[in-house]
Amino acid sequence: KTPISPMTFIKQLIKKEVNTMRIKVKRESLKKVLDSAVEVAESKNTLPVLQHVLFSANGTLMVSATDLELSFTHTTPAEIEKPGSICLPARKLLQIVKELPEEDVVLEEEKNSRIKILCGRGEFHLLGLPEEDFPQPQLEVKPQGQVNSKDFIQALRLTVFAVSDDEYRRNLNGVYIGKGEIAGTDGHRLSRVIVHELTLPEGVIIPKKGAVSLIKLFDDEKELLWTRDKNHLIISSKEKTLAVRLIEGEFPNYSSVTNISGTTLYLSLSSLKKELELARAVGSQWIKIVGRGKELEILASSRMDDSQMQSTLTTLEGSWEGEIGFDTRYLLEPLRFGKEDWTVEFTLSFKDEPCQLKFTEDPYFQYVVMPMRI
């Protein structure tokens, strides 16, 4: 190693003494921010720093985490006795904090990026990393609009399950957030929700992990602010901010499949859901629906053994004559977001044409699914 001069060594010691962090924070507050940050921190990444969270103490305590695709910050009140910053192993620290008593926790930085944790009679020492190692995107968080958290998060729930896992179709690997709507598709089905408050000037695609993280991190908020900066969509509340790197590419133009024509049947959600779950129980990946006026015959069988199912479902309203097949999972998944006493509006078309599923009680949700040949 190249030797350093005595003067440089003295300057480093002085700087280290000035920046040595010491804070006191409530145990429950610390656990809360770590619970959130661990959702983003990468546990198996080859870059060790991505398994860490950055503690920045200056007025308030800010905890940051990133996997390079998502960047998250969560602030919480704390007594800042000495300001400073240090990176600490996310999951190990959270595990320790979970076992601490309900008392104030003192974090005191030691030499060589080590941290001393004091709580009650316990004392712990962890090896961290210097602040300079932590990658932070240079983004401008200047709110451009706001949206009701309940509507936004529910729309993500109703669309993210339809996102494709095919890594060769990158533009289908995320949720589309456009002006007044959110959508997800894998090419065989489309789930779409109207959210009037969204005023993005142009649509963006956020990765599936980003959508799932938004659901987990902002589910208990009231109002959310959004910002589009460069190739990121930034969602923030009073204490939390999540920047999501956007997926490049064009989302498919799905307007041609949102106007479905055919025969609409009104069905009990709980009854339809029960029949589909029975089909899954016998190991069937598909179901056949045979329409006989107001009665629908549900047929399913397993390709692994001789398990079979045959039952009849009566419509609440509407009648249909025909025969059509579907992937069982594709019909069952959206029903799990409805309530047991809701009514399903099931629009059936021709064998090779898309069909539609809606909830009478939720006019903003639309689910379009292609039938399959059986």
Side-chain angles (χ1 to χ4, degrees):
K1 297 182 179 180
T2 304
I4 60 175
S5 67
M7 183 58 67
T8 301
F9 180 69
I10 292 173
K11 288 181 179 179
Q12 289 181 352
L13 285 179
I14 294 174
K15 181 180 179 181
K16 186 66 177 177
E17 180 65 28
V18 171
N19 291 335
T20 297
M21 182 183 75
R22 180 182 168 87
I23 63 174
K24 181 187 292 185
V25 59
K26 294 184 179 300
R27 181 258 182 192
E28 191 57 36
S29 298
L30 183 58
K31 179 181 176 297
K32 182 179 178 181
V33 296
L34 287 173
D35 275 330
S36 299
V38 163
E39 289 292 339
V40 175
E42 190 62 58
S43 61
K44 298 180 181 179
N45 201 291
T46 54
L47 294 175
V49 71
L50 299 184
Q51 301 173 27
H52 289 61
V53 289
L54 173 64
F55 275 66
S56 301
N58 188 7
T60 60
L61 173 62
M62 177 184 291
V63 177
S64 305
T66 185
D67 65 356
L68 301 182
E69 187 175 81
L70 310 178
S71 297
F72 175 70
T73 61
H74 192 164
T75 60
T76 190
E79 294 182 30
I80 311 299
E81 299 179 15
K82 291 183 180 180
S85 299
I86 189 173
C87 297
L88 298 174
R91 283 170 171 74
K92 183 177 291 187
L93 178 58
L94 175 59
Q95 193 60 42
I96 291 173
V97 172
K98 283 181 177 179
E99 303 302 326
L100 294 178
E102 290 292 340
E103 298 183 29
D104 288 347
V105 180
V106 174
L107 300 176
E108 182 176 320
E109 186 180 358
E110 300 179 307
K111 295 179 179 180
N112 301 319
S113 299
R114 296 184 68 88
I115 197 82
K116 179 167 66 175
I117 305 169
L118 302 171
C119 184
R121 297 181 178 180
E123 179 175 323
F124 307 84
H125 297 263
L126 284 180
L127 177 63
L129 295 171
E131 173 194 10
E132 294 78 15
D133 291 357
F134 192 82
Q136 298 187 78
Q138 301 300 314
L139 300 173
E140 182 179 356
V141 185
K142 186 176 181 180
Q144 299 170 353
Q146 68 179 38
V147 63
N148 177 273
S149 176
K150 181 180 178 181
D151 295 340
F152 182 70
I153 297 302
Q154 181 64 3
L156 290 176
R157 284 197 184 98
L158 284 166
T159 52
V160 70
F161 73 92
V163 169
S164 173
D165 293 320
D166 184 354
E167 61 184 29
Y168 295 104
R169 306 179 71 182
R170 181 67 174 155
N171 63 326
L172 301 185
N173 290 163
V175 172
Y176 172 79
I177 301 178
K179 188 174 183 179
E181 61 184 347
I182 297 178
T185 183
D186 61 5
H188 302 285
R189 57 180 173 166
L190 168 74
S191 189
R192 173 175 173 254
V193 180
I194 302 299
V195 185
H196 292 297
E197 287 183 87
L198 281 175
T199 56
L200 275 73
E202 59 181 13
V204 299
I205 309 173
I206 64 171
K208 186 175 184 177
K209 181 181 179 181
V212 172
S213 295
L214 284 169
I215 293 170
K216 291 180 179 179
L217 295 171
F218 294 95
D219 188 37
D220 58 348
E221 303 292 338
K222 293 183 179 180
E223 292 292 327
L224 299 177
L225 302 176
W226 64 264
T227 306
R228 168 76 187 276
D229 184 43
K230 302 172 185 175
N231 60 339
H232 285 79
L233 179 68
I234 306 168
I235 303 295
S236 59
S237 64
K238 185 177 180 180
E239 297 177 340
K240 307 172 191 174
T241 298
L242 181 68
V244 183
R245 184 184 295 275
L246 302 176
I247 294 177
E248 297 181 1
E250 293 290 328
F251 198 76
N253 184 356
Y254 53 82
S255 58
S256 61
V257 298
T258 55
N259 297 316
I260 303 298
S261 60
T263 301
T264 299
L265 305 177
Y266 293 80
L267 306 170
S268 163
L269 185 149
S270 58
S271 298
L272 177 58
K273 182 179 175 183
K274 180 181 178 181
E275 300 298 335
L276 295 173
E277 287 178 337
L278 285 172
R280 289 293 297 273
V282 301
S284 178
Q285 296 181 346
W286 56 266
I287 64 163
K288 180 189 289 186
I289 300 176
V290 180
R292 307 185 191 281
K294 292 183 69 67
E295 291 189 341
L296 301 179
E297 187 177 16
I298 310 296
L299 304 171
S301 63
S302 172
R303 295 176 180 176
M304 302 298 294
D305 52 39
D306 293 330
S307 301
Q308 295 183 355
M309 167 198 161
Q310 180 177 345
S311 63
T312 301
L313 180 64
T314 303
T315 69
L316 300 175
E317 183 181 337
S319 62
W320 177 71
E321 300 282 345
E323 186 176 296
I324 197 168
F326 292 98
D327 184 307
T328 309
R329 178 172 63 91
Y330 278 13
L331 284 189
L332 183 57
E333 283 186 329
L335 298 182
R336 291 173 176 161
F337 297 99
K339 297 181 180 179
E340 292 295 308
D341 60 347
W342 281 14
T343 299
V344 174
E345 299 178 16
F346 195 14
T347 302
L348 296 170
S349 188
F350 300 105
K351 286 187 177 181
D352 297 324
E353 296 295 325
C355 300
Q356 177 179 269
L357 185 152
K358 298 181 72 175
F359 301 135
T360 301
E361 292 79 5
D362 184 0
Y364 300 119
F365 171 66
Q366 179 186 28
Y367 184 75
V368 179
V369 58
M370 290 294 296
M372 62 181 295
R373 296 180 180 180
I374 298 176

